[in-house]
Amino acid sequence: MKKIIPFLLFITSICLLQGCLKDNCTKTYTMYTPVYKTSAEVRANIKSTAPTKIEKTGKLVVLGNYIFLNEVDKGIHIIDNTNPATPVNKHFISIPGNIDIAIKGSILYADLYTDLVTLDISTPDAVRVTNITDDVFEHRRYVNFAADTSRIIVEWIKKDTTVTMECANTWQGRGGVLMDVRNTFSLSSSASPAIGVAGSMARFTILNNFLYTVTNSWLNVFNITTSAQPAFTNKINVGWGIETIYPFANNLFIGSTNGMFVYGTANPSVPNQLSRFTHAMACDPVIADNNFAFVTLRTGTNCNGQNNQLDVINIQNINSPSLVRTYQLVNPHGLAKAGNTLLVCDGSAGLKAFNAADVNNLVLMQTVAGINAYDVIIINQSAIVVAKEGLYQYNISNPFDIKLISRISLN
């Protein structure tokens, strides 16, 4: 006790003299400062340019001998695929904020951040804007952030900041994210046309004379009878967590984080819900044929998924879909089917080919390893695959012996 008392007296004297020093703690935040441009500045950058290096692959559409590959948030690469063994990256269309595309004949539809831009691409090296529909993609806005709505956020500048504060005022967690909302950082600156084939991860699809797009909660309807001048005719609330859209037999199969919706287009301006199949929370691309729908669910996304699987759903009674069987996978994304061959992009586990002649007993025929597969389109006997590493083409005429035709690697 004699040794402890002097120590307590010392602490007491320090408190009396200095008011008891408070403990300080540090907290590190990641601060994102928005970079703005005016709408006019953004739209001035919609133009044809020389071919550019592919740096970040996105969604794709195939039309005839051409592949249209999205460069996330930047625009579209036009690849001449006349000879699949030697595809040529020929043109680039700069479209700021672009992620999704659809094509009807020589008219291309693309998202421009929250807007829909319509382009005449009949002359690829001199594309022409024919129409812009304002503010139809609300999911491209930023949630819980007071943005300057008179301008467009084109990027964010990231900076880690460490601050010192009283320990009592800190909150649980190791760090945080701050949005710098001060609007002080600005940059000045006769036969029917063919329809492009899109992958299963698409948010845009064309069915007859209508363009359908999905956002987080809405199904948007555009009449494109006059292709170059789409008319925004309807907006239908589908629910929440909507992700993808796939057309088959005049129906729209819509994938969401909690299920698959089927909408009929007997009245194409006013699609009506025919049925819904509910599944566990997960991201959900979907494709369909005459009898079955195929849905992949995956983890590791903002959909809070807990499952990595392929669901086969009986849709012979389109008004009452029912689960046939579930197959466990690694991290499935996009998928495509031709005849009895079902291709599934299983993320880091590669591209998998199944014999789907009997949906109760899918048989794995081959796995193409070494790629992180995202989406796939089947054209004749070829599979065009978007992967994290680039754009791949495979000969799938023998699905037990899939052969690489060509590869365009990322730069």
Side-chain angles (χ1 to χ4, degrees):
M1 284 296 293
K2 291 182 179 179
K3 292 182 179 180
I4 296 176
I5 290 174
F7 176 74
L8 293 175
L9 291 174
F10 173 75
I11 293 296
T12 303
S13 64
I14 292 294
C15 288
L16 291 174
L17 292 172
Q18 300 185 20
C20 278
L21 291 174
K22 295 180 179 179
D23 291 334
N24 288 327
C25 295
T26 60
K27 176 71 66 175
T28 299
Y29 296 92
T30 298
M31 179 173 286
Y32 290 87
T33 303
V35 178
Y36 287 98
K37 284 188 177 181
T38 66
S39 180
E41 287 173 319
V42 170
R43 294 176 182 183
N45 283 307
I46 305 172
K47 58 188 176 183
S48 298
T49 71
T52 64
K53 295 179 179 179
I54 301 173
E55 297 180 347
K56 187 176 181 180
T57 54
K59 301 179 186 181
L60 79 162
V61 169
V62 177
L63 180 61
N65 290 327
Y66 287 89
I67 298 172
F68 297 80
L69 176 65
N70 162 251
E71 179 84 29
V72 177
D73 277 336
K74 293 183 178 180
I76 301 164
H77 300 278
I78 302 179
I79 299 167
D80 186 343
N81 200 42
T82 302
N83 182 357
T86 57
V88 181
N89 189 359
K90 296 198 73 170
H91 307 279
F92 184 72
I93 305 174
S94 172
I95 306 175
N98 172 244
I99 293 177
D100 278 278
I101 53 178
I103 303 173
K104 178 184 178 184
S106 61
I107 300 298
L108 182 146
Y109 308 94
D111 55 344
L112 175 78
Y113 294 109
T114 60
D115 303 336
L116 175 72
V117 60
T118 304
L119 300 173
D120 183 335
I121 59 171
S122 54
T123 306
D125 57 358
V127 298
R128 181 172 58 88
V129 176
T130 64
N131 189 75
I132 294 180
T133 308
D134 295 325
D135 202 30
V136 290
F137 304 122
E138 86 287 340
H139 68 289
R140 298 299 303 277
R141 303 191 193 109
Y142 292 93
V143 180
N144 298 327
F145 171 68
D148 179 353
T149 57
S150 66
R151 294 178 293 170
I152 296 173
I153 298 174
V154 296
E155 64 176 304
W156 294 86
I157 293 179
K158 179 181 177 180
K159 180 181 179 182
D160 289 335
T161 302
T162 300
V163 296
T164 301
M165 62 184 69
E166 294 179 13
C167 292
N169 291 333
T170 61
W171 50 277
Q172 297 298 317
R174 295 185 178 181
V177 175
L178 294 178
M179 299 296 192
D180 185 352
V181 300
R182 298 168 298 168
N183 297 324
T184 57
F185 193 94
S186 176
L187 290 181
S188 296
S189 356
S190 39
S192 297
I195 304 299
V197 179
S200 63
M201 303 294 285
R203 282 182 177 266
F204 285 21
T205 195
I206 294 175
L207 189 58
N208 302 316
N209 286 319
F210 286 83
L211 168 68
Y212 299 98
T213 72
V214 290
T215 68
N216 284 347
S217 298
W218 300 91
L219 169 61
N220 295 320
V221 182
F222 302 85
N223 188 322
I224 55 172
T225 302
T226 304
S227 303
Q229 297 292 328
F232 189 12
T233 59
N234 208 346
K235 184 175 182 179
I236 300 167
N237 188 278
V238 183
W240 57 275
I242 307 303
E243 294 190 292
T244 61
I245 186 168
Y246 182 87
F248 186 81
N250 291 321
N251 291 321
L252 301 171
F253 291 80
I254 298 174
S256 78
T257 56
N258 61 354
M260 176 194 76
F261 298 88
V262 183
Y263 274 71
T265 60
N267 182 348
S269 293
V270 189
N272 63 301
Q273 183 177 320
L274 300 177
S275 58
R276 174 180 178 179
F277 174 82
T278 302
H279 58 60
M281 184 74 70
C283 287
D284 171 2
V286 55
I287 62 170
D289 60 21
N290 286 317
N291 298 309
F292 302 98
F294 301 84
V295 177
T296 61
L297 285 72
R298 68 184 185 276
T299 60
T301 67
N302 57 5
C303 307
N304 300 314
Q306 300 297 320
N307 303 287
N308 287 291
Q309 64 193 49
L310 168 70
D311 284 348
V312 182
I313 302 166
N314 189 321
I315 56 170
Q316 293 176 57
N317 179 354
I318 198 66
N319 296 304
S320 182
S322 58
L323 180 66
V324 175
R325 187 171 173 181
T326 293
Y327 297 86
Q328 298 303 313
L329 293 170
V330 176
N331 192 228
H333 288 65
L335 64 172
K337 186 173 181 288
N340 290 326
T341 299
L342 173 68
L343 299 182
V344 180
C345 295
D346 202 8
S348 60
L351 177 70
K352 295 183 176 178
F354 294 91
N355 185 329
D358 179 3
V359 294
N360 287 286
N361 184 31
L362 295 185
V363 177
L364 179 63
M365 295 182 285
Q366 186 178 350
T367 297
V368 178
I371 63 171
N372 194 324
Y374 172 72
D375 204 2
V376 56
I377 292 176
I378 298 176
I379 303 292
N380 299 322
Q381 298 296 314
S382 297
I384 301 173
V385 180
V386 176
K388 186 176 182 180
E389 300 82 3
L391 181 72
Y392 295 77
Q393 295 189 70
Y394 296 96
N395 184 324
I396 60 168
S397 56
N398 179 359
F400 288 95
D401 186 22
I402 296 174
K403 296 184 181 299
L404 179 66
I405 299 173
S406 62
R407 170 184 176 179
I408 300 178
S409 301
L410 299 190
N411 295 285

